[in-house]
């Protein structure tokens, strides 16, 4: 089984992937690690700020890794924000049976009420560098975009509304 975990920044994608590792022993791949490996090795001229272009650049590689895991009957969690909302079109029906999609997004109310907590927990799993770009306005906009994308494509979205509680459930 392949589990895609996507969502806005600071929603706990990596934390949820870690929970899948601990609960089910499913290994996970951080698309951010793939991104930085390709950037630092010089395989692309894209930068970490080129989010729109990075989805198009990374998705073909991630998609084929997911197909390989399904074909080999291997469990794999793939987490990151570079999973397009129309991802299902890239998989034959037989593959879709073995793929789960999880999008994490926070409500406007949650963000406005807990923004200090969101920033404080940014390093729950990984040691982030400077995240001064993570402002209230940016966080609101990014989460709204993920909620809208899920709604537009009929995808499930795990909304974080009253309290932060995201569990690894298949």
């Amino acid at each position: 089984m392949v589990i895609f975990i996507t969502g806005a920044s600071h929603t706990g994608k990596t934390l949820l992937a870690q929970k899948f590792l601990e609960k089910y022993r499913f290994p996970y791949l951080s698309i951010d690690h793939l991104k930085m490996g390709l950037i630092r090795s010089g395989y692309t001229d894209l930068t970490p700020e080129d989010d729109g272009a990075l989805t198009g650049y990374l998705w073909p590689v991630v998609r084929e890794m997911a197909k390989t895991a399904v074909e080999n009957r291997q469990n794999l969690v793939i987490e990151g924000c570079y999973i397009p909302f129309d991802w299902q079109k890239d998989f034959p029906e037989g593959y879709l049976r073995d793929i789960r999609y999880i999008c994490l997004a926070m409500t406007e109310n949650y963000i406005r009420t807990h923004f200090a907590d969101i920033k404080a927990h940014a390093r729950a799993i990984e040691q982030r560098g400077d995240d001064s770009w993570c402002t209230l306005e940016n966080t609101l906009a990014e989460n709204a975009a993920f909620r809208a994308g899920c709604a537009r494509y009929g995808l499930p979205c795990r909304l974080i509304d009253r309290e932060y509680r995201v569990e690894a459930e298949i």
Side-chain angles (χ1 to χ4, degrees):
M1 173 182 305
V2 170
I3 301 171
F4 290 131
I5 301 173
T6 192
S9 183
H10 291 71
T11 54
K13 297 179 298 292
T14 307
L15 178 62
L16 182 56
Q18 182 70 31
K19 288 182 178 187
F20 273 102
L21 174 67
E22 292 169 5
K23 183 173 183 176
Y24 299 106
R25 301 177 56 122
F26 288 6
Y28 70 88
L29 165 73
S30 167
I31 302 174
D32 278 341
H33 291 175
L34 176 62
K35 168 187 78 176
M36 292 311 297
L38 292 167
I39 290 171
R40 288 179 175 171
S41 66
Y43 279 100
T44 181
D45 292 329
L46 296 171
T47 71
E49 288 78 39
D50 295 324
D51 277 345
L54 281 164
T55 298
Y57 184 75
L58 295 167
W59 177 243
V61 176
V62 171
R63 174 192 69 216
E64 296 308 316
M65 292 172 74
K67 286 179 182 176
T68 301
V70 169
E71 291 162 359
N72 291 333
R73 301 198 134 333
Q74 292 175 297
N75 297 315
L76 179 62
V77 175
I78 300 174
E79 66 90 6
C81 63
Y82 303 105
I83 299 169
F85 291 109
D86 63 350
W87 66 272
Q88 292 173 319
K89 73 173 176 45
D90 293 328
F91 294 90
E93 186 63 36
Y95 287 80
L96 294 174
R97 284 191 302 263
D98 295 313
I99 299 174
R100 303 292 177 271
Y101 175 90
I102 299 169
C103 180
L104 302 177
M106 298 171 185
T107 64
E108 180 177 347
N109 179 59
Y110 183 86
I111 295 166
R112 289 190 184 281
T113 332
H114 296 91
F115 188 67
D117 296 330
I118 293 166
K119 292 281 284 189
H121 289 94
R123 292 177 174 85
I125 295 295
E126 58 192 349
Q127 295 302 308
R128 292 177 180 261
D130 174 29
D131 75 344
S132 58
W133 57 267
C134 181
T135 63
L136 176 64
E137 295 75 22
N138 185 24
T139 303
L140 288 167
E142 194 176 338
N143 278 270
F146 273 92
R147 290 191 313 270
C150 284
R152 179 176 177 209
Y153 287 90
L155 296 168
C157 186
R158 290 192 187 178
L159 284 180
I160 301 157
D161 186 25
R162 290 186 175 87
E163 65 177 331
Y164 188 90
R165 198 170 135 243
V166 178
E167 298 301 323
E169 299 297 329
I170 297 175

